Amino acid sequence: MTFNQEDKIISEFLESIGPWRDFVVIGGGFALFIYKLYLSDPKLKNPPVGTRDIDSLISRKIPEISKKNIQSYLQEAGFMHVFKDLDDPATEAYVKDIAGAEVEIEFLTDDSVRNNKEKNVVIAGVVAQPLSYLTLSLQTTLKFQTYSKITGNVVTPGAWIFHKGLTFTKRKSSLKILKDLYGIWYVASQLGEFSDHALDEFNVLAKQHPKWFKTFQKNLKNWFDDASPSDWSKLEAQDPSGRLRRLNFEQIIKKITK
């Protein structure tokens, strides 16, 4: 994907959900493109690895700001509604070809409820999957504006790093684990002053959430202890620019886990 393509994807998605975009926070891999495109120095040359999934974070309770819910807006914008399992309510996605790429939208929410923490929940007409530690990502956000002047919300980079370090061990796919680790390295080191601010923010969040930080440290230490030479090679291969090397990855991780 090209940067022009990614800008079109982000802009069209935000336009498609109408007024609900004020209550949706973009996380996951597309957050890296938002950081690179709109929030960091445009002269920096190392783009993030492409993704076609937009993880859309949404709080469990949001105001009813429109008679049309989010699902109606997406379907009117041409997104196809897809069911991904047999849960009740079923996990779902919304799929559309945008600028030559098949884009998939999924909605996620926090699991901060007493009962049925893992049960999908319907919010504003869409099914959201509960995810651990997501509360912080919903609370710490940045506004951004696309090149076509559409505004949206994205998870702050410090919270993005924190969440990935807390949850990558829950991934069922080894490739997704590697992509999460690559993302931590990318946000923490490849965006110039924006990365510096991300590390400062992360340090503040780590002090505010010491129990979570201990889990973060443990998760990364365990991966380091268990990683084979093949694992390191596969991690380095996540970065097409060739900048990700074991030594600089270890340096970044030591900086954020000290």
Side-chain angles (χ1 to χ4, degrees):
M1 289 195 289
T2 66
F3 268 14
N4 185 49
Q5 184 182 41
E6 288 138 5
D7 174 63
K8 288 180 178 176
I9 289 170
I10 296 164
S11 297
E12 184 162 336
F13 166 62
L14 292 172
E15 279 191 296
S16 297
I17 57 176
W20 295 102
R21 62 177 167 265
D22 291 336
F23 299 93
V24 169
V25 180
I26 295 177
F30 248 96
L32 275 59
F33 286 106
I34 291 168
Y35 301 153
K36 182 71 186 74
L37 280 167
Y38 314 120
L39 298 171
S40 63
D41 186 346
K43 295 190 291 292
L44 295 170
K45 297 297 184 184
N46 186 13
V49 173
T51 178
R52 294 178 179 179
D53 302 335
I54 300 181
D55 290 343
S56 302
L57 320 183
I58 187 168
S59 296
R60 284 179 173 265
K61 293 183 179 180
I62 56 175
E64 188 177 342
I65 57 167
S66 171
K67 291 182 179 179
K68 288 193 300 184
N69 60 28
I70 298 175
Q71 182 186 90
S72 296
Y73 273 99
L74 286 169
Q75 290 183 320
E76 288 178 9
F79 282 85
M80 182 173 63
H81 188 197
V82 177
F83 294 105
K84 305 190 79 173
D85 57 33
L86 298 175
D87 290 350
D88 183 20
T91 303
E92 63 182 21
Y94 295 85
V95 181
K96 183 180 180 181
D97 187 284
I98 302 175
E102 185 178 81
V103 178
E104 183 172 299
I105 312 298
E106 288 192 349
F107 290 88
L108 306 171
T109 192
D110 64 84
D111 67 349
S112 58
V113 291
R114 286 189 177 180
N115 301 314
N116 299 318
K117 281 182 174 289
E118 298 182 359
K119 184 177 175 62
N120 291 341
V121 57
V122 179
I123 305 169
V126 293
V127 174
Q129 305 165 59
L131 204 61
S132 300
Y133 304 108
L134 203 68
T135 310
L136 189 62
S137 298
L138 287 164
Q139 292 173 342
T140 52
T141 64
L142 288 174
K143 286 278 186 189
F144 68 90
Q145 187 177 77
T146 69
Y147 297 146
S148 52
K149 308 300 182 186
I150 309 297
T151 58
N153 302 293
V154 65
V155 176
T156 61
W160 194 97
I161 291 171
F162 209 168
H163 190 261
K164 288 300 181 184
L166 287 165
T167 60
F168 77 91
T169 56
K170 300 177 185 294
R171 294 287 213 172
K172 296 176 182 177
S173 159
S174 60
L175 178 59
K176 289 187 176 181
I177 289 173
L178 294 173
K179 287 191 179 300
D180 286 350
L181 293 171
Y182 156 82
I184 291 172
W185 168 83
Y186 184 88
V187 176
S189 67
Q190 297 299 296
L191 295 168
E193 288 186 9
F194 188 82
S195 289
D196 295 338
H197 295 317
L199 294 177
D200 289 342
E201 182 207 358
F202 175 82
N203 289 332
V204 171
L205 294 174
K207 290 175 182 175
Q208 292 174 348
H209 303 275
K211 289 184 179 179
W212 288 9
F213 183 52
K214 285 183 180 179
T215 302
F216 182 97
Q217 291 173 307
K218 180 183 176 183
N219 287 349
L220 286 163
K221 181 181 184 301
N222 288 345
W223 189 87
F224 271 80
D225 290 345
D226 295 340
S228 66
S230 175
D231 292 329
W232 281 109
S233 295
K234 290 174 182 177
L235 177 59
E236 291 175 351
Q238 297 304 304
D239 178 30
S241 75
R243 297 183 187 181
L244 198 170
R245 288 289 178 261
R246 176 172 179 168
L247 180 60
N248 60 35
F249 183 83
E250 288 177 335
Q251 289 172 338
I252 289 295
I253 298 304
K254 284 179 183 177
K255 185 183 292 188
I256 61 180
T257 56
K258 62 183 181 181

